[in-house]
Amino acid sequence: REEGLFYGLDLGGTNFRVLRVQLGGIEKHVVNRESREVSIPPQLMSGSSSELFGFIASELAKFVADEEKCANVLSNGKKRELGFTFSFPVKQRSVASGTLVKWTKAFSIDDAVGEDVVAELQTAMEKQGLDMHVAALINDAVGTLAGARYYDRDVVAGVIFGTGTNAAYVEKANSIPKWEGELPNSGDMVINMEWGNFCSSHLPVTEYDRELDKESLNPGEQIYEKLMSGMYLGEIVRRVLLKMSLQSSIFGNIDHTKLKTHFLLRTPHISAMHHDETPDLKIVAEKLEENLEITGTSLETRKLVVEICDIVARRAARLAAAGLAGILKKLGRDGNAQEQRSVIAIDGGLFEHYTKFRECLEITLGELLAEYASKSVAVKHADDGSGIGAALIAASQSQYRNVE
Ligand code: GLC
């Protein structure tokens, strides 16, 4: 039913995105959307809260200024409304506020922990003279669920396989012991699992993972995420290659400076090497040279590198599929001969761009769930689900909603 113009702001990876969505109500759904992506200067990821939010607000102000030139979008003196997708663990007691529990992924800004991130953003926007109201604070997994369910009621979960990983699903409110307030009318409630922080002695953690964790920004935390998400897969492969190179002569007599540099090998690089179909593995040679200054490798060595990428990506995909199967099991949608269709909406660069990760995830789901083969369970790519989801939730929380 939602109508009107809404803004989205998406902060969670190495870029942030500003987005404008025109909602056309029940028939037209999303009439128009525009977005702009801005990369976050690395020093801002570990600076101060006011610097980060100041930068974001100034970019948002630029985006809004462009709109002003082309349309008379703001009629009746309304404030612009924003859905803020903030993809980190938050303690959230109301729809438009939440305190940061801790940073994950590549962020570490100490003075923001424990603060209300909506208030920080609101202050930064005011400093920019930006007249905008934060109508909702949303996690990307929740936004993906909302955006996809808007189009398809059979969507039961939203999942992110990107820089980090997380899942949100719809639970019966009366199965949530932690909930103390009044039960919602629908009887349902969305759970943001923050599953990236899952840890268990059953996880296949190796010496490479242990060292990666120890040297990370958040040791001991986000272990599932560190085995499986885009921020870390390249880094795991780098660590394996380094050890092999130090213990053997596979790369010849090389200078190890690059190979020893944390995060120099990124997941898009290992994806490119993994998908190399040239007979002499030319792309593998190129990536090794460009990123790690390793030259003159033999075909045999390049094959070995591909195999390592395969092992690391396959482990990630199989663990990812296990998580999805876990949600369906919890929902009782993994049994035999389901009449109901269950759809899991997935977003994130790893799922979108790493074909072999995605293929292996789907094959594994088929192994774990008979329903996947029978098509009563499906996964689908929710393209920019979280941006649209954020605008939708903002619209549904709009302060003008009841006035109209
Ligand atoms: C990290 C964050 C989580 C987010 C996920 C995907 O796990 O803690 O909130 O949903 O990354 O971006």
Side-chain angles (χ1 to χ4, degrees), residues 81-95:
E81 300 215 73
L82 176 84
F84 181 22
T85 307
F86 181 76
S87 304
F88 300 93
V90 159
K91 186 166 265 175
Q92 193 165 2
R93 294 190 183 278
S94 80
V95 70

Side-chain angles (χ1 to χ4, degrees), residues 285-361:
E286 257 168 45
K287 296 293 157 197
L288 291 176
E289 182 165 357
E290 279 166 22
N291 298 292
L292 303 169
E293 281 174 8
I294 295 173
T295 54
T297 47
S298 68
L299 182 58
E300 210 186 340
T301 297
R302 298 200 288 273
K303 283 187 181 156
L304 195 64
V305 172
V306 173
E307 199 177 324
I308 293 163
C309 297
D310 188 64
I311 293 168
V312 172
R314 187 181 297 276
R315 178 184 68 163
R318 291 184 71 82
L319 287 169
L324 301 183
I327 295 179
L328 292 165
K329 201 165 168 184
K330 176 71 180 62
L331 290 173
R333 286 175 180 255
D334 66 322
N336 290 322
Q338 291 287 328
E339 301 210 333
Q340 272 168 316
R341 205 171 140 254
S342 307
V343 179
I344 297 185
I346 306 181
D347 201 3
L350 185 63
F351 185 77
E352 191 179 350
H353 303 300
Y354 203 136
T355 310
K356 285 186 191 283
F357 170 87
R358 180 178 179 155
E359 284 168 357
C360 178
L361 182 149

Side-chain angles (χ1 to χ4, degrees), residues 96-347:
S97 71
T99 55
L100 175 62
V101 176
K102 61 176 189 184
W103 290 104
T104 53
K105 299 173 280 195
F107 285 77
S108 107
I109 301 171
D110 292 344
D111 68 347
V113 175
E115 298 297 320
D116 178 0
V117 292
V118 174
E120 307 265 300
L121 175 63
Q122 200 82 62
T123 310
M125 290 194 305
E126 274 156 31
K127 280 199 189 135
Q128 288 289 329
L130 189 58
D131 195 18
M132 202 178 258
H133 166 244
V134 181
L137 175 66
I138 308 137
N139 178 271
D140 55 353
V142 178
T144 299
L145 170 60
R149 203 173 160 100
Y150 181 60
Y151 291 106
D152 181 350
R153 296 297 300 175
D154 293 333
V155 171
V156 294
V159 178
I160 306 292
F161 296 120
T163 306
T165 182
N166 191 13
Y169 73 101
V170 183
E171 182 60 278
K172 293 268 155 285
N174 59 17
S175 337
I176 308 174
K178 200 172 167 184
W179 180 252
E180 286 170 353
E182 231 174 89
L183 292 181
N185 291 340
S186 66
D188 291 333
M189 197 170 285
V190 172
I191 304 269
N192 169 9
M193 296 176 73
E194 283 294 333
W195 80 6
N197 200 28
F198 174 64
C199 188
S200 151
S201 58
H202 297 291
L203 286 175
V205 173
T206 67
E207 60 178 279
Y208 306 102
D209 305 306
R210 267 189 288 275
E211 277 163 27
L212 180 154
D213 174 49
K214 213 164 61 195
E215 293 164 21
S216 70
L217 288 171
N218 50 354
E221 286 169 3
Q222 304 293 111
I223 301 300
Y224 189 45
E225 179 160 280
K226 285 172 182 160
L227 297 174
M228 143 165 114
S229 74
M231 174 162 165
Y232 305 100
L233 298 187
E235 173 64 5
I236 300 170
V237 171
R238 182 195 66 80
R239 285 169 183 269
V240 177
L241 295 181
L242 174 62
K243 179 151 186 200
M244 286 173 59
S245 181
L246 291 173
Q247 294 191 342
S248 73
S249 54
I250 49 161
F251 296 134
N253 190 14
I254 60 160
D255 173 358
H256 284 98
T257 318
K258 293 263 170 164
L259 195 49
K260 281 185 177 164
T261 308
H262 292 188
F263 293 102
L264 209 56
L265 193 65
R266 316 288 318 184
T267 301
H269 305 139
I270 70 160
S271 172
M273 297 198 286
H274 196 176
H275 293 93
D276 188 356
E277 302 224 310
T278 62
D280 54 348
L281 297 178
K282 210 167 67 208
I283 299 172
V284 176
E286 257 168 45
K287 296 293 157 197
L288 291 176
E289 182 165 357
E290 279 166 22
N291 298 292
L292 303 169
E293 281 174 8
I294 295 173
T295 54
T297 47
S298 68
L299 182 58
E300 210 186 340
T301 297
R302 298 200 288 273
K303 283 187 181 156
L304 195 64
V305 172
V306 173
E307 199 177 324
I308 293 163
C309 297
D310 188 64
I311 293 168
V312 172
R314 187 181 297 276
R315 178 184 68 163
R318 291 184 71 82
L319 287 169
L324 301 183
I327 295 179
L328 292 165
K329 201 165 168 184
K330 176 71 180 62
L331 290 173
R333 286 175 180 255
D334 66 322
N336 290 322
Q338 291 287 328
E339 301 210 333
Q340 272 168 316
R341 205 171 140 254
S342 307
V343 179
I344 297 185
I346 306 181
D347 201 3

